[in-house]
Amino acid sequence: MSEGTLWSADLGELHIDTDANKGLWGYLWLQIDKKTFKVWLDESLTDLASKHGIELTRKLRRFHKTFYEQTVVTLRDKLQADEAFIYHPVPLTYMPLVMHATRIHCEAPDAASCEGLTAPTVPHPEIPEWQQRSGSVAFASPYLGEDGVRVTRSYPADSTIMMTSVTYHWHTPPGLPDVCLRGHHDDPEVIAAVMEPLDDFARTLRLPGTAQ
């Protein structure tokens, strides 16, 4: 891997790698013990509070501790994500924006036959279709190929919250796993404001050992 690749020195050969700006993107360890988690959280929150110029109150600290504890368990055990990344510019007073990347073993011979490219647009069966919105655009990657798509979806989480999700999926050549990057947020304006940085970040993802 190239010199300066994010997190490679920390984790060795990653499932999915990136050389994104470390000031914009942090790494969320999905395999972490309680003591290390506490140290990581304290350092991260103190640093971000300083950068955002806000006071790190007990309420904010407790909110982020609960959020990240639940997120780590969900991504690791339920979604079996390979890597997770945190977008630092979102203020600490908002829900953090976490994007998680997963390798998918798709044996389809071409993108048109890959169910993963259309799955994110399928309406949620438990939510009325008229309450859901989705849109997709082709999304090429310099590392993962031309057969990519970005899908955005909006749907109500409850009577007061509208969730917005963003999913990137690339169907890779035979012999390589597909890569899926996804995340969601409870404030559509946050997602709208960060789409360009999200796109830039998505283009940095690659599988270790692939051409750079």
Side-chain angles (χ1 to χ4, degrees):
M1 296 181 193
S2 61
E3 181 68 20
T5 297
L6 264 190
W7 311 300
S8 295
D10 300 329
L11 300 176
E13 185 177 14
L14 298 179
H15 297 100
I16 295 168
D17 207 354
T18 173
D19 54 6
N21 185 327
K22 204 169 184 177
L24 295 180
W25 291 94
Y27 192 83
L28 179 60
W29 279 262
L30 300 181
Q31 304 292 337
I32 192 169
D33 60 78
K34 189 173 183 180
K35 181 179 179 181
T36 307
F37 174 81
K38 183 180 185 303
V39 172
W40 168 83
L41 186 69
D42 287 345
E43 290 178 351
S44 297
L45 294 183
T46 300
D47 181 54
L48 289 175
S50 175
K51 287 181 179 177
H52 287 289
I54 65 172
E55 179 187 358
L56 184 59
T57 62
R58 286 186 179 180
K59 183 178 179 180
L60 271 179
R61 189 183 295 272
R62 189 166 56 247
F63 164 69
H64 283 270
K65 179 177 183 292
T66 300
F67 173 85
Y68 283 118
E69 285 177 340
Q70 294 174 346
T71 298
V72 166
V73 171
T74 298
L75 295 183
R76 182 188 62 207
D77 301 341
K78 184 178 179 181
L79 300 179
Q80 298 182 324
D82 290 314
E83 260 74 54
F85 311 92
I86 307 161
Y87 186 57
H88 285 330
V90 176
L92 288 177
T93 49
Y94 287 75
M95 185 181 91
L97 175 58
V98 175
M99 302 296 292
H100 60 280
T102 309
R103 293 170 304 168
I104 300 174
H105 294 283
C106 176
E107 301 302 324
D110 52 48
S113 306
C114 180
E115 294 182 2
L117 292 180
T118 56
T121 63
V122 175
H124 193 293
E126 297 176 7
I127 301 174
E129 285 194 38
W130 64 269
Q131 291 185 319
Q132 305 180 59
R133 299 286 184 274
S134 69
S136 62
V137 295
F139 195 87
S141 162
Y143 301 116
L144 300 171
E146 300 292 318
D147 291 329
V149 64
R150 183 192 73 201
V151 178
T152 54
R153 287 189 61 227
S154 294
Y155 53 94
D158 56 34
S159 59
T160 60
I161 297 175
M162 181 66 76
M163 298 298 293
T164 301
S165 68
V166 182
T167 302
Y168 301 83
H169 185 121
W170 294 273
H171 184 65
T172 55
L176 289 175
D178 284 10
V179 174
C180 183
L181 174 71
R182 61 171 74 106
H184 63 269
H185 203 276
D186 64 356
D187 188 334
E189 292 186 4
V190 169
I191 293 292
V194 303
M195 279 308 304
E196 188 173 342
L198 270 181
D199 284 353
D200 289 342
F201 175 66
R203 294 186 186 99
T204 71
L205 295 190
R206 61 177 174 267
L207 294 165
T210 55
Q212 298 180 20

